[in-house]
């Protein structure tokens, strides 16, 4: 399309989403998201199966409209987990979780920490692609469309919810 100054632009090139890659290939990782990364897709890879190389994703203080999408690109084969934490215990993730595996029930989320406990997941490769999007109203983080979890374990085992974080403790 044409711009008001008479120049041309490629409309499709403007639709690119910022991406953030988080990997534990070298060490344990804590990625603290910031407000100016809102709208980003965070790709998470548990590339190292060496023990004590967990990944923590810490949410920023809620400001209405901030939003992020999370995608687990590699669940690994070891004992390293991925934890999503709010900045304070008074802020929760709220929404629904559901496994794509037959016979595994979903659950309701109203917790400040969500952990993909990959050491408990029956088949790690089934957890690849686990994804969810969050948006905040300035008070809590709301999960849009629910969490799609591919593990064989029940919600509460491979996909664990806890009321507290260690971020502000």
């Amino acid at each position: 399309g044409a711009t008001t100054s008479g120049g041309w632009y490629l409309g499709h090139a403007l639709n690119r989403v910022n991406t953030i890659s988080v990997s534990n290939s070298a060490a344990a990782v804590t990625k603290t998201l910031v407000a100016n990364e809102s709208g980003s897709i965070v790709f998470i890879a548990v590339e190292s199966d060496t023990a004590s190389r967990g990944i923590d994703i810490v949410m920023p203080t809620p400001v209405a409209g901030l939003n992020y999408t999370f995608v687990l690109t590699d669940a690994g084969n070891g004992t390293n987990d991925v934890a999503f934490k709010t900045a304070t215990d008074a802020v929760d993730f709220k929404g629904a979780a559901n496994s794509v595996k037959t016979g595994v029930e979903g659950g309701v989320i109203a917790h400040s920490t969500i952990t993909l406990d990959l050491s408990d997941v029956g088949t790690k490769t089934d957890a690849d692609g686990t994804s969810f999007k969050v948006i905040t109203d300035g008070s809590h983080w709301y999960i849009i469309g629910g969490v799609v979890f591919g593990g064989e374990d029940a919600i509460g085992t491979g996909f664990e919810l806890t009321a507290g974080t260690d971020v502000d403790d």
Side-chain angles (χ1 to χ4, degrees):
T3 66
T4 56
S5 64
W8 290 89
Y9 68 91
L10 299 174
H12 66 285
L14 300 176
N15 293 328
R16 194 168 197 180
V17 175
N18 184 55
T19 61
I20 299 168
S21 295
V22 179
S23 167
N24 70 340
S25 61
V29 176
T30 297
K31 170 59 178 161
T32 301
L33 296 171
V34 295
N36 70 358
E37 294 171 319
S38 179
S40 296
I41 297 176
V42 181
F43 293 108
I44 303 162
V46 183
E47 295 175 329
S48 174
D49 298 323
T50 301
S52 301
R53 287 194 179 179
I55 297 174
D56 288 346
I57 306 293
V58 181
M59 304 303 294
T61 300
V63 175
L66 294 180
N67 66 91
Y68 304 87
T69 301
F70 303 103
V71 179
L72 182 64
T73 61
D74 184 345
N77 292 313
T79 60
N80 295 303
D81 300 334
V82 178
F84 302 88
K85 301 176 179 186
T86 61
T88 66
D89 294 342
V91 176
D92 284 335
F93 291 103
K94 295 186 177 190
N98 193 25
S99 175
V100 297
K101 301 302 267 183
T102 303
V104 178
E105 294 182 13
V108 177
I109 301 168
H111 298 81
S112 56
T113 300
I114 298 171
T115 301
L116 301 180
D117 188 348
L118 299 172
S119 63
D120 283 341
V121 176
T123 305
K124 306 283 190 286
T125 56
D126 290 339
D128 287 351
T130 294
S131 63
F132 63 103
K133 180 176 182 168
V134 295
I135 190 166
T136 181
D137 65 350
S139 297
H140 297 284
W141 292 96
Y142 295 92
I143 298 169
I144 306 297
V147 177
V148 179
F149 179 67
E152 292 180 349
D153 290 332
I155 303 301
T157 305
F159 182 88
E160 297 177 356
L161 307 168
T162 53
T165 70
D166 59 2
V167 174
D168 63 331
D169 297 337

